Amino acid sequence: MQKPVFIIAEAGVNHDGCLDRARMLVDVAAQAGADAVKFQTFRAETLVSRSAPKADYQQQTTGSSESQYDMLRRLELSMEDHRALIAHCRQAGIRFLSSPFDLASIDLLCDLGLDVFKIPSGEITNLPYLRRIGSLAKDVILSTGMADMDEISAALRVLTDAGTPKDRITVLHCNTEYPTPMGDVNLRAMRSIGAAFGVRVGYSDHTEGIEVPIAAVALGAAVIEKHFTLDRRLPGPDHRASLEPVELHAMVSAIRNIEVALGDAQKRPSLSESRNLVAVRKSIVAAKNIRSGEIFTEDNLAVKRPAGGLDPMCWDEVIGRCALRQFVSGEPIEW
């Protein structure tokens, strides 16, 4: 039986550097029914140069007066914050995940006992980073925003050569524009990735709304990742492209419904529809009164509801036969 879709509620940096807000995000994700809540682990000092500009979407949401470095400094989580969030996740009944953005952060998460490592899109071409994660031989979820197939192939080769078996890697199709225009989603690429590399696939979504991740599940996604926030009006780089709590709950609920609806791929009458068979299907009946000994023809026979009599697929076998008794108009034919 296929495993349930693993739903990651991406809190990211939507805590805005506040531990209490991060705890609230954990609670929202747990209440929505997500499998995991994911944060981001980094040190601005080792992640970005002090002069690095913000991405366009970051400038739109937080302005351009501060550098990317200064923004990220405000959004760091300390080791103590990580421990507190892991404990809170355990209490809330949800799995804690975090994406490391540098080598020191990989080591920090490893020391904290994480057994799943989520590689963000920006690190897919970071050879030393990929080697370090690959050497851990743990489960890996690899996002592929901005990447082409050659870059995905190269990243997978680094991970597997370093010691992580391919069957422990899930590759997420992704687009890193926040929010992603519908015309740029290219959701079918997710299936192309799976076919090309023989890996489990999923989808990390940055569109507005919940339609696309639900569609990804219908197309075979094993993992879904989606940003969420307490309130889209909060200041910060990712709030505007995130779901609010009610929307996150709706997405999780819809995904679980789609999982059930996908079924087992065997075409057969379901239990619920079987009771409608007699009322909806038809039988061969007399179109008019038929005398005993009369020949059955297309003029004196008809096909009408309900089922239960002679199956209409026997029509050709009935035509030309002799009626063994009298039939009144509308009576099911027997032979």
Side-chain angles (χ1 to χ4, degrees), residues 293-297 317-323 335:
E294 188 175 344
I295 300 298
F296 291 129
T297 68
E317 300 171 45
V318 176
I319 297 297
R321 285 182 176 251
C322 180
W335 60 15

Side-chain angles (χ1 to χ4, degrees), residues 160-282:
T160 54
D161 287 350
T164 298
K166 189 185 287 188
D167 62 8
R168 298 194 70 173
I169 301 173
T170 302
V171 179
L172 305 188
H173 175 50
C174 179
N175 181 294
T176 54
E177 176 65 359
Y178 295 75
T180 301
M182 286 294 179
D184 288 345
V185 171
N186 192 20
L187 195 54
R188 289 191 178 97
M190 179 185 73
R191 301 179 84 170
S192 298
I193 291 168
F197 303 115
V199 292
R200 263 193 321 274
V201 293
Y203 176 63
S204 179
D205 185 52
H206 298 127
T207 64
E208 294 178 315
I210 65 174
E211 301 98 322
V212 180
I214 294 168
V217 172
L219 287 177
V223 175
I224 291 293
E225 180 181 68
K226 180 75 173 179
H227 279 266
F228 76 105
T229 179
L230 301 176
D231 188 335
R232 267 193 294 271
R233 296 169 296 181
L234 289 168
D238 296 339
H239 291 291
R240 292 185 196 175
S242 301
L243 298 179
E244 291 188 337
V246 171
E247 297 168 312
L248 179 64
H249 188 281
M251 185 195 78
V252 173
S253 178
I255 287 173
R256 297 308 181 209
N257 284 339
I258 293 298
E259 285 181 298
V260 174
L262 285 171
D264 61 6
Q266 300 299 314
K267 178 57 182 171
R268 59 184 178 276
S270 71
L271 183 62
S272 63
E273 70 180 341
S274 294
R275 60 174 170 261
N276 298 323
L277 190 148
V278 171
V280 173
R281 287 195 175 179
K282 298 177 178 179

Side-chain angles (χ1 to χ4, degrees), residues 21-329:
R21 187 172 290 171
R23 288 192 181 99
M24 293 172 66
L25 287 164
V26 169
D27 293 337
V28 166
Q31 291 161 11
D35 296 294
V37 58
K38 189 176 78 66
F39 294 90
Q40 294 178 5
T41 303
F42 56 85
R43 287 290 171 266
E45 190 67 42
T46 55
L47 174 58
V48 63
S49 301
R50 290 178 182 267
S51 60
K54 293 178 179 176
D56 287 345
Y57 79 90
Q58 293 171 338
Q59 292 188 34
Q60 292 171 17
T61 54
T62 63
S64 57
S65 59
E66 65 177 352
S67 67
Q68 186 181 166
Y69 173 87
D70 290 331
M71 178 188 72
L72 292 173
R73 280 280 293 170
R74 293 188 288 100
L75 301 174
E76 291 179 359
L77 293 172
S78 67
M79 169 69 90
E80 292 72 24
D81 292 337
H82 281 76
R83 292 188 187 280
L85 289 174
I86 289 171
H88 194 70
C89 284
R90 191 177 298 115
Q91 185 178 28
I94 190 169
R95 192 169 191 168
F96 173 90
L97 294 180
S98 188
S99 290
F101 283 77
D102 50 62
L103 297 179
S105 295
I106 295 172
D107 295 341
L108 183 152
L109 293 176
C110 194
D111 290 343
L112 289 170
L114 265 69
D115 55 5
V116 176
F117 277 76
K118 168 65 200 311
I119 299 175
S121 292
E123 307 306 321
I124 195 168
T125 59
N126 186 340
L127 179 57
Y129 174 103
L130 294 172
R131 278 186 178 147
R132 180 71 63 85
I133 287 186
S135 71
L136 301 176
K138 297 180 182 290
D139 290 333
V140 172
I141 300 172
L142 172 67
S143 273
T144 60
M146 303 173 291
D148 59 28
M149 295 294 269
D150 288 340
E151 290 170 327
I152 297 171
S153 178
L156 288 172
R157 186 165 55 252
V158 173
L159 290 168
T160 54
D161 287 350
T164 298
K166 189 185 287 188
D167 62 8
R168 298 194 70 173
I169 301 173
T170 302
V171 179
L172 305 188
H173 175 50
C174 179
N175 181 294
T176 54
E177 176 65 359
Y178 295 75
T180 301
M182 286 294 179
D184 288 345
V185 171
N186 192 20
L187 195 54
R188 289 191 178 97
M190 179 185 73
R191 301 179 84 170
S192 298
I193 291 168
F197 303 115
V199 292
R200 263 193 321 274
V201 293
Y203 176 63
S204 179
D205 185 52
H206 298 127
T207 64
E208 294 178 315
I210 65 174
E211 301 98 322
V212 180
I214 294 168
V217 172
L219 287 177
V223 175
I224 291 293
E225 180 181 68
K226 180 75 173 179
H227 279 266
F228 76 105
T229 179
L230 301 176
D231 188 335
R232 267 193 294 271
R233 296 169 296 181
L234 289 168
D238 296 339
H239 291 291
R240 292 185 196 175
S242 301
L243 298 179
E244 291 188 337
V246 171
E247 297 168 312
L248 179 64
H249 188 281
M251 185 195 78
V252 173
S253 178
I255 287 173
R256 297 308 181 209
N257 284 339
I258 293 298
E259 285 181 298
V260 174
L262 285 171
D264 61 6
Q266 300 299 314
K267 178 57 182 171
R268 59 184 178 276
S270 71
L271 183 62
S272 63
E273 70 180 341
S274 294
R275 60 174 170 261
N276 298 323
L277 190 148
V278 171
V280 173
R281 287 195 175 179
K282 298 177 178 179
S283 302
I284 300 175
V285 301
K288 58 183 73 172
N289 292 335
I290 299 174
R291 299 184 306 274
S292 178
E294 188 175 344
I295 300 298
F296 291 129
T297 68
E298 294 191 0
D299 291 329
N300 62 17
L301 295 179
V303 175
K304 293 184 178 181
R305 292 178 176 178
L310 199 59
D311 193 313
M313 293 298 286
C314 298
W315 180 266
D316 290 345
E317 300 171 45
V318 176
I319 297 297
R321 285 182 176 251
C322 180
L324 299 181
R325 64 173 179 84
Q326 178 179 326
F327 293 91
V328 299
S329 179

